[in-house]
């Protein structure tokens, strides 16, 4: 089961009132993912419920009820855990998100609606908005923007650096009146950058991703090269260390893995087989052999889904996306 499916089963066991209280604490994308998982659940067995509850009990056993909330404490623990460079953007997103209601409200909107709202704004405003969204949502929004705007937006995201409060105020002003935020007390925020641009491109369909990379390369070959160096593609899974690969495989639904591997290089397949039990790898090989033809678009979607899971695990500090594991904490 995926994390969303486990969460869906747990919420269904809690009852309406308690489930509603839990959902209040999730962000928009997580609510959507869990909601879709709940809608898709059928014939949940008692063993599955027991498995979910057992894992919850195990996870809860590793936590205490101690709560802390000072900004300084948050900054210290994130810097100690992730290092100064990695923690910077995350700290800004956490602390900025608390006081910028307009930006947070965007995460609940349909991607097409966001594109319509910002499509005629200054390119730098478009880049600022996209940089504050999750990569998969930003990728969807870019898909709805006029073609002439797309590559320019990604290039501006890649070159964003410190953002001053007046720029954030301008960002809030372009939103409708129901979106409001108080940015007067904020210091400059680190948003965007090469990694943000790479993450957004990673979340796109391969055809659109290739189109934008080509367009960016035509404008600035050096910038394109730096973005591409940070992009994590499906073939890069072959470079994962054993621990990271095994954890990733536990989170990926077997049916989606089969589809994703239909269009993969042999090196990726062998790396995955090597991190499974003999029985599991034999079953996967059999599934690949007997499965019929699959549309390239379906393979691409499955591979993007696997990569999205990998990036979420990496962002949570659970796996390393480097072969050596040097980035793991």
């Amino acid at each position: 089961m995926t994390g969303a499916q486990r969460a869906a089963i747990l919420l269904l066991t809690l009852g309406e009132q308690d489930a509603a209280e839990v959902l209040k604490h999730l962000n928009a994308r997580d609510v959507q993912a869990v909601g879709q998982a709940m809608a898709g659940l059928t014939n949940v067995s008692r063993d599955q419920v027991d498995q979910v509850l057992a894992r919850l009990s195990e996870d809860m056993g590793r936590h205490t009820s101690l709560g802390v909330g000072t900004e300084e404490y948050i900054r210290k623990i994130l810097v100690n855990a992730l290092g100064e460079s990695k923690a910077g953007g995350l700290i800004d997103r956490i602390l900025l998100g608390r006081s910028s209601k307009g930006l947070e409200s965007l995460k609940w909107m349909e991607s097409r609606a966001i594109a319509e709202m910002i499509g005629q704004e200054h390119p730098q405003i478009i880049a600022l908005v996209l940089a504050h969204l999750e990569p998969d949502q930003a990728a969807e929004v870019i898909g709805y923007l006029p073609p002439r705007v797309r590559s320019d937006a990604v290039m501006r995201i890649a070159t964003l650096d410190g953002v001053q409060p007046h720029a954030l105020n301008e960002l809030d002003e372009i939103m409708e009146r129901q979106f409001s935020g108080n940015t007067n007390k904020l210091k400059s925020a680190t948003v965007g950058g090469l990694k943000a641009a790479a993450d957004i491109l990673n979340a796109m369909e391969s055809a659109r991703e290739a189109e934008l990379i080509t367009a960016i390369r035509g404008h600035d070959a050096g910038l394109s090269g730096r973005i591409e160096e940070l992009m994590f593609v499906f073939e890069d899974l072959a470079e994962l260390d054993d621990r990271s690969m095994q954890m990733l495989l536990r989170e990926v639904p077997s049916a989606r893995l089969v589809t994703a591997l239909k269009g993969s290089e042999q090196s990726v397949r062998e790396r995955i087989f090597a991190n499974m039990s003999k029985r599991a790898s034999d079953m996967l090989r059999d599934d690949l052999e007997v499965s019929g033809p699959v549309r390239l678009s379906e393979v691409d979607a499955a591979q993007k889904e696997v990569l999205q899971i990998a990036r979420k695990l990496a962002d949570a500090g659970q796996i390393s996306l480097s072969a050596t594991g040097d980035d793991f904490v």
Side-chain angles (χ1 to χ4, degrees):
M1 289 183 290
T2 65
Q5 288 172 326
R6 289 196 300 271
I9 290 175
L10 176 61
L11 291 178
L12 289 173
T13 64
L14 291 178
E16 293 181 9
Q17 294 296 328
D18 291 334
E21 286 299 317
V22 173
L23 287 174
K24 289 178 182 177
H25 299 280
L26 300 181
N27 62 41
R29 307 299 278 185
D30 288 340
V31 170
Q32 183 178 358
V34 173
Q36 289 174 338
M38 292 174 73
L41 285 176
T42 56
N43 300 323
V44 179
S45 68
R46 181 66 201 178
D47 287 342
Q48 288 177 305
V49 174
D50 289 342
Q51 179 185 346
V52 169
L53 295 177
R55 177 155 180 175
L56 174 65
S57 177
E58 179 183 340
D59 290 343
M60 292 295 289
R62 293 196 293 264
H63 296 77
T64 73
S65 58
L66 179 63
V68 290
T70 65
E71 292 189 9
E72 187 61 28
Y73 185 86
I74 293 172
R75 290 181 184 278
K76 285 182 179 179
I77 60 172
L78 289 177
V79 169
N80 288 337
L82 304 177
E84 189 73 41
S85 60
K86 281 190 173 183
L90 182 59
I91 290 169
D92 284 325
R93 178 177 290 273
I94 291 171
L95 300 181
L96 173 62
R98 293 185 314 179
S99 57
S100 185
K101 296 178 182 178
L103 293 173
E104 288 301 306
S105 297
L106 285 175
K107 297 179 181 179
W108 293 90
M109 291 180 63
E110 290 290 337
S111 298
R112 184 190 297 272
I114 298 174
E116 291 175 353
M117 186 171 71
I118 67 173
Q120 301 304 316
E121 296 299 329
H122 187 280
Q124 197 71 1
I125 295 296
I126 295 175
L128 279 170
V129 171
L130 294 172
H132 277 89
L133 301 177
E134 293 298 323
D136 57 340
Q137 189 181 20
E140 290 177 4
V141 173
I142 288 175
Y144 290 115
L145 291 173
R148 60 180 174 76
V149 176
R150 294 170 186 167
S151 59
D152 183 55
V154 175
M155 292 175 66
R156 288 175 182 272
I157 291 169
T159 54
L160 278 175
D161 199 353
V163 180
Q164 297 301 318
H166 69 81
L168 295 175
N169 282 325
E170 183 180 356
L171 180 59
D172 272 339
E173 287 173 5
I174 72 165
M175 301 176 186
E176 297 182 6
R177 290 182 179 179
Q178 64 264 36
F179 301 143
S180 62
N182 179 16
T183 56
N184 293 328
K185 297 180 180 179
L186 290 175
K187 299 177 181 178
S188 62
T190 304
V191 296
L194 292 170
K195 185 64 169 61
D199 287 343
I200 291 171
L201 288 169
N202 273 328
M204 292 181 179
E205 295 179 358
S206 294
R208 180 164 289 146
E209 172 190 303
E211 172 191 327
L212 288 178
I213 281 292
T214 300
I216 294 170
R217 190 181 297 124
H219 284 91
D220 190 333
L223 178 63
S224 171
R226 294 195 296 276
I227 293 174
E228 290 180 80
E229 287 176 2
L230 294 174
M231 292 179 67
F232 187 78
V233 297
F234 195 76
E235 286 68 29
D236 292 331
L237 292 177
E239 303 300 322
L240 292 186
D241 61 82
D242 290 343
R243 184 184 184 281
S244 295
M245 177 64 81
Q246 290 161 17
M247 183 168 289
L248 173 62
L249 292 175
R250 287 198 293 270
E251 297 296 323
V252 177
S254 58
R256 300 304 285 163
L257 182 60
V258 171
T259 303
L261 290 179
K262 292 287 287 187
S264 67
E265 295 183 358
Q266 191 61 31
S267 60
V268 179
R269 294 190 181 193
E270 293 303 325
R271 191 80 182 91
I272 288 174
F273 293 147
N275 280 279
M276 290 179 157
S277 66
K278 185 178 185 306
R279 179 173 175 274
S281 63
D282 287 343
M283 289 177 62
L284 180 56
R285 292 176 197 271
D286 290 342
D287 289 340
L288 284 168
E289 289 179 6
V290 301
S291 60
V294 180
R295 284 190 173 88
L296 286 176
S297 59
E298 294 180 18
V299 173
D300 180 56
Q303 290 185 352
K304 294 291 186 183
E305 186 175 326
V306 174
L307 290 174
Q308 186 178 35
I309 294 172
R311 285 193 292 272
K312 285 184 176 179
L313 290 173
D315 290 343
Q318 294 179 271
I319 70 171
S320 167
L321 295 183
S322 68
T324 61
D326 291 341
D327 294 334
F328 191 81
V329 292

